[in-house]
Amino acid sequence: MTVIYDLEHITTYRYRKPVTFGEHRAIFLPSASYGEQILSYSLTTNIPAKIRWTMDTLSNNVATITFSEPAQELSVTGWLRAEHFGIKAIAEFPLDARAIEIPVQYTPDEWLDLSRYMRPHAEDPDGCLAAWAKSFVAGDQDDTLNVLQYMMDSIRNNLTYQARETEGTQSPGETLRLKSGTCRDYAWLMIEALRRLGLACRFVSGYLYDAALDGGEVGMIGSGATHTWLQVYLPGAGWRNYDPTNQITAGFDLIPVAIARHPGQVIPLSGFWFGDAQDYLGMEVNVSIRKLGTLPEFEEGKSG
């Protein structure tokens, strides 16, 4: 089944008086993949701007926005309509024998391609992250899929989800110490822990579609908003999704937009402005995802 959806992502900044804006960088448009096909899209601003589309080193679609006028309010709206094919369960992709147990054995070519995703990025000064990671392979617990599931479940069951307005991502050590975090903190903790077990992992930024939203309800954590999770490379299965916030590994809920080695590379909208610090009044983000129907239904509606 293929789901057709509309997505709108509006970011609004407000200031006490008009300020001047520097270059901004927007990442909201999914790259071409087996799970997504873009039908149409647009990026608009409330003040005159020049928009230039490029692809970064990781093949993410990036819009560079240059503004020509000062303003008291800045609004950037990304919209797209897409076909979403969903993610099949890992059971449909049997692992190669060399991936069944940890440590996973990557080939020389895989090592060359995956090294940037295997090298730990976050510091671990007191060793708490390494110790936490190793606790999942203690004794005879070396089955790769079990270790991944246990770690994902541990994050969801033992940490408290805490929404946070401030930008940035906590260090994995801080998330363990606080025993709380956002979806990006959860994903970053699991990525850095798995890297210390020799697994190639990458950070994924995107959106979470929840069917409950179609009925005016909210079911999963982070639904109808930007969302982050991780992908792990497993020989035989390829890049597989793990969302520790909602314990999701398959289905239609995860809509990937961009991948990165670390969270700072895929901030949905980033940039700078010139003015007095006290002029900044705050930021508001509104994301809406609306299912138009499955592909056969959608085609019938268009022709009718």
Side-chain angles (χ1 to χ4, degrees):
M1 181 178 71
T2 301
V3 173
I4 308 295
Y5 70 89
D6 276 356
L7 184 148
E8 186 176 59
H9 184 152
I10 305 174
T11 305
T12 304
Y13 298 94
R14 294 184 175 87
Y15 303 86
R16 198 178 308 276
K17 61 184 180 183
V19 299
T20 302
F21 301 101
E23 188 175 87
H24 279 55
R25 185 174 184 264
I27 303 178
F28 85 97
L29 184 65
S31 298
S33 72
Y34 66 88
E36 207 80 17
Q37 181 175 336
I38 306 302
L39 301 177
S40 56
Y41 67 92
S42 66
L43 182 63
T44 57
T45 61
N46 67 319
I47 59 176
K50 181 179 294 185
I51 299 173
R52 178 170 55 91
W53 287 94
T54 57
M55 190 169 282
D56 67 11
T57 58
L58 299 174
S59 298
N60 299 313
N61 290 317
V62 179
T64 301
I65 312 172
T66 305
F67 301 97
S68 57
E69 295 181 4
Q72 196 168 344
E73 179 177 295
L74 172 63
S75 181
V76 179
T77 301
W79 174 87
L80 68 90
R81 175 170 293 174
E83 297 178 4
H84 182 53
F85 305 105
I87 303 162
K88 293 183 179 180
I90 196 169
E92 299 181 46
F93 300 87
L95 301 186
D96 287 352
R98 56 193 172 88
I100 292 175
E101 295 180 352
I102 290 179
V104 169
Q105 303 300 312
Y106 294 119
T107 65
D109 273 348
E110 287 172 338
W111 268 93
L112 186 62
D113 295 337
L114 299 172
S115 59
R116 61 185 172 184
Y117 299 116
M118 298 176 68
R119 187 181 304 114
H121 183 86
E123 296 183 356
D124 184 24
D126 60 2
C128 68
L129 176 59
W132 185 77
K134 290 177 182 177
S135 70
F136 293 95
V137 292
D140 59 355
Q141 299 180 107
D142 57 4
D143 180 278
T144 302
L145 295 184
N146 284 344
V147 169
L148 288 167
Q149 189 67 45
Y150 294 155
M151 186 178 291
M152 185 172 67
D153 292 347
S154 177
I155 292 173
R156 172 67 186 270
N157 298 332
N158 297 323
L159 304 184
T160 301
Y161 183 86
Q162 186 70 51
R164 190 172 67 248
E165 292 297 326
T166 56
E167 297 180 6
T169 305
Q170 293 175 175
S171 69
E174 187 177 9
T175 300
L176 288 175
R177 179 176 59 82
L178 296 174
K179 296 186 183 300
S180 67
T182 64
C183 60
R184 60 185 182 271
D185 302 323
Y186 284 6
W188 190 225
L189 167 61
M190 189 166 174
I191 286 171
E192 286 293 290
L194 291 174
R195 284 174 175 171
R196 283 163 171 80
L197 297 180
L199 287 163
C201 303
R202 60 191 188 187
F203 188 87
V204 187
S205 174
Y207 300 95
L208 180 64
Y209 168 74
D210 186 352
L213 295 175
D214 297 329
E217 304 174 0
V218 175
M220 292 178 290
I221 298 172
S223 58
T226 54
H227 189 54
T228 56
W229 59 98
L230 64 138
Q231 291 179 341
V232 185
Y233 188 82
L234 302 174
W239 288 107
R240 306 310 303 169
N241 291 279
Y242 282 84
D243 175 12
T245 303
N246 294 289
Q247 295 174 301
I248 298 173
T249 59
F252 285 87
D253 306 308
L254 300 175
I255 302 174
V257 169
I259 58 171
R261 288 181 292 106
H262 61 83
Q265 293 179 302
V266 285
I267 299 171
L269 181 64
S270 59
F272 56 95
W273 58 278
F274 303 95
D276 297 327
Q278 60 268 26
D279 290 337
Y280 180 65
L281 299 179
M283 174 185 73
E284 181 180 348
V285 178
N286 290 294
V287 176
S288 62
I289 303 175
R290 184 169 64 94
K291 185 178 78 171
L292 303 181
T294 60
L295 187 55
E297 295 171 347
F298 182 69
E299 293 295 344
E300 289 172 8
K302 285 170 60 180
S303 62

